[in-house]
Amino acid sequence: MSFPRCLRLALLCASALGMSASLAASPPAAPALSIEEVAALATAHANDAENSHGAIEAAVQQAVAAGQLPDPVLKVGLNDVPVNGSDKGSLSRDSMTTRSISVLQEFTRADKRRARTARFEAESASADARRLVGVTNVQRNAVAAWIDRWYAEQAAALLGHHSHPLSLALEAATAAYRSGRGTRADVLSAQLEVQKLRDREGENQAALDTATVNLSRWIGADATRPLGERPALIVPNRVEQLIRTRYDGVPEIVAAQRDVTLAESEVRVADESRKPDISVELMYSQRGSAYSNLASVNVSFPLPWDRANRQDREVSARLAQATEARAKAEIVQRNTDAAVGMRLAELRRNLERLKRYDDATLPLANAQAEAALTAYRANTGSLLAVAEANHRAIDTALERLALEQRTTKLWAELTFLTPLPTAQTESATKDFK
């Protein structure tokens, strides 16, 4: 066997062994990261969205306390103790002197206690709705970061696809210039196009790094995992169902409606507060041994003598707050309706535009670049025309990719009108009851 053949065989064996060793030593590839998993991971990492658990627990505990009667009041006293004369300071010689003990209990009306309980229950439901809004926003932000990274990677692949032809064009222009068949202008034009592409690659790499950092903010170390396929760009089925039910289940609307319920419960509390409660006091008084002990029963209740300027004003204030809450809920409803309608219309328009890009615009741009290259090879066109045509093909492909990215974000905004169901999206009020 000749030495060159031995050398080639050794190199082949070495490369094969090296490849086998590298495959054996390489760790298993991480599973692809889908949009649904990103939403679930972001929810699990969303500590800032879980802070409102304290408000929910506080309201639930207060609801229980509000349904109870006030604590009784124990009173101990000395009455009618002589301060001068022969009986001065005596607790038993004067018939008027008594040592008394009493218990005072306020009997808050049951309707008032139920109204207060309902008010705190409404507050806990409102806090839970606001918590769910926070969780949903976390999911939406994480999905948007996933989309940004996915399209930055697609743009990098697209730019890399055009890098090799530009390098070959530069080599061809340089060789033609050295052989006297080309011009210096062709070489400079090719160099300029290569530099422009390198600048675009650097700009896209910065966008990719930013998207990865942003994604890691929401899901942690999993942000470096490879990404799965993007979802199919179609109108989400559940959007039509949400429209039919006037967006029942959309967290922002649920939160606004629960704020209305809370305001209405405060109106009921204010209305019940107009009616006074009765307090009953039982008192036992002990006198000297020569006199009889005494028992007393006292009943007391407030006298709302200026109801028009006190209790009625309180009710009016709560009614005004309830009216404001209803107005805000209606604004949220209208804004959601308008936003969803505009996003649906834009999504459908963008899908039509993407189809035109795929059917006509991109094929025409690529055909133009190929035609310019063919003319150059046949010495009927210039390298400058090849560079310009290739530049237009890159711009067209990037424009199409940017349009698809905007369309995917529209799809995500419609899909995540309601959150992806996870353990954190379950109602938290029952956990504290």
Side-chain angles (χ1 to χ4, degrees):
M1 183 181 294
S2 64
F3 178 75
R5 290 186 61 191
C6 293
L7 179 60
R8 286 197 299 271
L9 181 59
L11 291 174
L12 287 174
C13 292
S15 62
L17 289 173
M19 184 180 298
S20 300
S22 63
L23 289 175
S26 61
L33 187 64
S34 66
I35 276 186
E36 291 77 10
E37 187 179 1
V38 162
L41 288 172
T43 306
H45 283 75
N47 294 326
D48 56 334
E50 300 300 309
N51 288 340
S52 55
H53 271 157
I56 298 171
E57 182 179 7
V60 169
Q61 301 300 340
Q62 286 181 305
V64 177
Q68 312 305 312
L69 287 173
D71 292 332
V73 178
L74 178 65
K75 298 169 65 177
V76 179
L78 288 173
N79 301 312
D80 302 325
V81 178
V83 294
N84 56 17
S86 60
D87 295 335
K88 178 181 179 180
S90 174
L91 300 181
S92 59
R93 291 195 295 270
D94 193 293
S95 62
M96 298 293 292
T97 302
T98 58
R99 297 177 294 275
S100 62
I101 183 171
S102 65
V103 176
L104 175 68
Q105 176 66 61
E106 177 184 324
F107 290 94
T108 306
R109 293 181 309 104
D111 290 342
K112 183 181 292 187
R113 286 184 279 128
R114 282 192 291 267
R116 291 174 178 173
T117 298
R119 187 264 177 208
F120 285 112
E121 288 176 347
E123 183 177 334
S124 68
S126 178
D128 192 35
R130 290 193 297 271
R131 181 192 66 86
L132 188 58
V133 170
V135 171
T136 306
N137 286 333
V138 165
Q139 290 190 3
R140 293 168 182 168
N141 290 331
V143 168
W146 185 97
I147 293 172
D148 288 340
R149 181 188 155 193
W150 196 89
Y151 280 98
E153 291 179 352
Q154 299 306 306
L158 176 63
L159 294 173
H161 174 74
H162 286 275
S163 176
H164 186 61
L166 286 179
S167 298
L168 292 179
L170 176 59
E171 292 176 4
T174 303
Y177 173 67
R178 289 174 178 173
S179 63
R181 293 181 293 105
T183 64
R184 176 67 174 167
D186 288 340
V187 176
L188 294 176
S189 176
Q191 288 177 341
L192 180 60
E193 291 302 317
V194 170
Q195 292 305 315
K196 285 182 178 179
L197 184 64
R198 295 290 179 268
D199 183 67
R200 286 189 172 186
E201 288 177 335
E203 183 180 5
N204 185 74
Q205 184 61 45
L208 178 58
D209 294 340
T210 299
T212 303
V213 171
N214 191 29
L215 185 58
S216 67
R217 171 193 175 189
W218 301 110
I219 65 173
D222 288 302
T224 59
R225 287 167 49 188
L227 302 185
E229 293 297 322
R230 69 155 174 78
L233 297 181
I234 58 175
V235 177
N237 293 329
R238 58 177 175 171
V239 173
E240 301 294 341
Q241 180 181 358
L242 287 172
I243 293 174
R244 287 193 299 269
T245 59
R246 294 211 72 195
Y247 308 103
D248 183 27
V250 174
E252 290 82 359
I253 291 180
V254 173
Q257 291 171 344
R258 290 185 179 176
D259 285 342
V260 171
T261 303
L262 175 59
E264 291 175 345
S265 68
E266 290 180 340
V267 172
R268 289 191 292 272
V269 170
D271 186 59
E272 290 296 333
S273 296
R274 299 168 63 188
K275 305 168 186 176
D277 298 317
I278 295 176
S279 299
V280 178
E281 181 182 16
L282 300 178
M283 182 170 62
Y284 179 80
S285 300
Q286 184 184 42
R287 298 194 292 177
S289 58
Y291 310 102
S292 300
N293 294 334
L294 304 175
S296 303
V297 177
N298 299 309
V299 178
S300 60
F301 51 87
L303 296 176
W305 63 276
D306 195 13
R307 177 177 291 179
N309 287 323
R310 292 173 59 85
Q311 289 84 358
D312 290 352
R313 298 277 184 177
E314 179 71 18
V315 173
S316 298
R318 299 305 181 186
L319 285 171
Q321 291 174 349
T323 301
E324 182 183 11
R326 294 188 196 97
K328 289 182 178 179
E330 183 62 25
I331 290 173
V332 172
Q333 185 83 47
R334 292 177 183 177
N335 289 345
T336 303
D337 196 6
V340 171
M342 289 187 292
R343 287 167 184 163
L344 278 173
E346 188 176 357
L347 176 62
R348 294 189 175 105
R349 286 196 305 270
N350 287 358
L351 291 176
E352 294 175 359
R353 290 181 62 194
L354 287 172
K355 190 174 186 304
R356 285 197 298 271
Y357 264 100
D358 294 336
D359 294 344
T361 308
L362 274 178
L364 285 173
N366 293 330
Q368 186 183 38
E370 291 174 4
L373 181 59
T374 301
Y376 174 73
R377 288 171 176 170
N379 288 328
T380 58
S382 65
L383 189 60
L384 180 60
V386 174
E388 291 177 349
N390 192 65
H391 189 73
R392 282 193 292 271
I394 295 175
D395 285 344
T396 304
L398 289 175
E399 288 171 1
R400 194 257 179 216
L401 194 64
L403 176 61
E404 184 182 312
Q405 181 176 3
R406 294 195 301 272
T407 306
T408 305
K409 285 194 172 183
L410 285 171
W411 172 89
E413 290 170 358
L414 292 169
T415 301
F416 288 89
L417 280 172
T418 56
L420 182 76
T422 64
Q424 287 79 8
T425 59
E426 296 293 329
S427 176
T429 56
K430 63 178 182 291
D431 297 336
F432 303 110
K433 291 184 178 179

